[in-house]
Amino acid sequence: MMTVFYIVMGGDEAIRYYMEAYLSIRTFQKQLSKDLGRICVITDHPSFFRKAGVEVITITAEQKAEWMGPHQFFFRTKIKGMEYLHQLYPDDNLLYLDSDTVLYGNLTKLKERLDEGHGLMHRCEGKPINISHTAKRLWKKAVGQTYGDITIGEQHQMWNAGVVGLPSSKINETVACALTLCDGMLHDGNNEFITEQYSYSIALAEHTSLVNTDDLIGHYWGNALDWRNKAHDIFLFSYLNDFSLEEELKALDIDELCKTPYYVHRSSTAAKLHKLVDSLFKVREVKSVKSGCA
């Protein structure tokens, strides 16, 4: 059995992530059957998933704080969530997904990779020192440091953690390793937002035969704006037609959906110019209706 799960937290201010999660869930539900597995969502706002058709696991504020650890590092919850799901379903292979993912390939192939004992992440991004300023800062602090029985070195590449999959037999040791690495780096002041990502990358490389999933799963972190607009239109259309879950899944066209690019390079200069124009040409007049006038 395979358990696919998400961790989505926050209230109204995070509504865009819930919309993304719904879209991702629907792409998996298009292929999901009882013999393939189940979908779970860990959330602090369970009411947002009443219509999702998935198993909802409510996390309390106290649990969230404990999962974030002594340094209150939010992304540590992705490791603790894997640990928690393994306690609930010890015989299941687990597949974690960021909300900004979509399944466009064959779900059975994903399950087969886990059944064969592979660890899964989205794709290898290369050596941290060659990726970005953030990854370079992380690398310079981490290289040569030993956490548990692992000394971080040139062999440890960065993988994208929008997808993290583990066969049930490898979960205990891999999660324990990822937590040791993450907590060790945080203790040493290495609290970049990708610290959990690098911890998972190293742990899966050390304890599993790690393979990518970008041939089956899209991760649109590089074009969230267009994908959120697409998700908005899909779910608005569903709402206006009062679709059931079955009708919603039938209407979801994966081929059409995936014509939306997953990465778009937008000029930072253009964004600065837009900001400048907005500051120069400010709104001069605003009128609103008054309530209680009847």
Side-chain angles (χ1 to χ4, degrees), residues 73 128-129 131-145 147 152 156-158 181-182 185-186 189-199 201-202:
F73 182 64
I129 198 167
I131 297 172
S132 66
H133 293 303
T134 303
K136 186 180 292 186
R137 284 197 305 269
L138 177 78
W139 165 254
K140 286 183 175 180
K141 290 182 181 179
V143 65
Q145 299 297 319
Y147 303 108
I152 298 177
H156 295 126
Q157 301 198 77
M158 180 75 79
L181 288 161
C182 187
M185 284 190 276
L186 290 172
N190 211 345
N191 58 351
E192 305 292 347
F193 75 93
I194 55 173
T195 298
E196 155 272 328
Q197 178 181 337
Y198 197 38
S199 301
S201 300
I202 297 171

Side-chain angles (χ1 to χ4, degrees), residues 213-268:
T213 57
D214 62 348
D215 59 328
L216 302 171
I217 296 174
H219 188 199
Y220 57 82
W221 60 269
N223 188 24
L225 178 63
D226 288 346
W227 278 87
R228 287 169 185 164
N229 288 338
K230 177 68 72 171
H232 174 273
D233 291 346
I234 287 171
F235 291 116
L236 178 60
F237 184 77
S238 173
Y239 172 79
L240 292 174
N241 283 282
D242 194 24
F243 280 166
S244 65
L245 173 58
E246 291 73 21
E247 290 170 328
E248 201 169 273
L249 292 175
K250 185 178 180 180
L252 182 61
D253 186 333
I254 300 296
D255 290 336
E256 183 64 28
L257 177 66
C258 290
K259 290 178 181 178
T260 309
Y262 68 85
Y263 181 84
V264 173
H265 177 73
R266 289 184 166 89
S267 169
S268 60

Side-chain angles (χ1 to χ4, degrees), residues 49-103:
F49 288 98
R50 287 174 183 162
K51 296 185 178 181
V54 300
E55 181 179 332
V56 180
I57 299 171
T58 304
I59 184 171
T60 65
E62 292 75 19
Q63 281 178 299
K64 180 179 175 181
E66 189 273 324
W67 285 15
M68 290 170 65
H71 300 279
Q72 289 300 279
F73 182 64
F74 176 77
F75 296 104
R76 188 178 184 269
T77 63
K78 289 172 62 172
I79 306 175
K80 292 294 290 183
M82 183 77 74
E83 180 182 67
Y84 183 75
L85 262 295
H86 185 53
Q87 292 169 358
L88 289 181
Y89 305 113
D91 297 325
D92 285 13
N93 299 328
L94 297 180
L95 183 68
Y96 164 83
L97 296 159
D98 278 354
S99 61
D100 55 350
T101 56
V102 290
L103 176 69

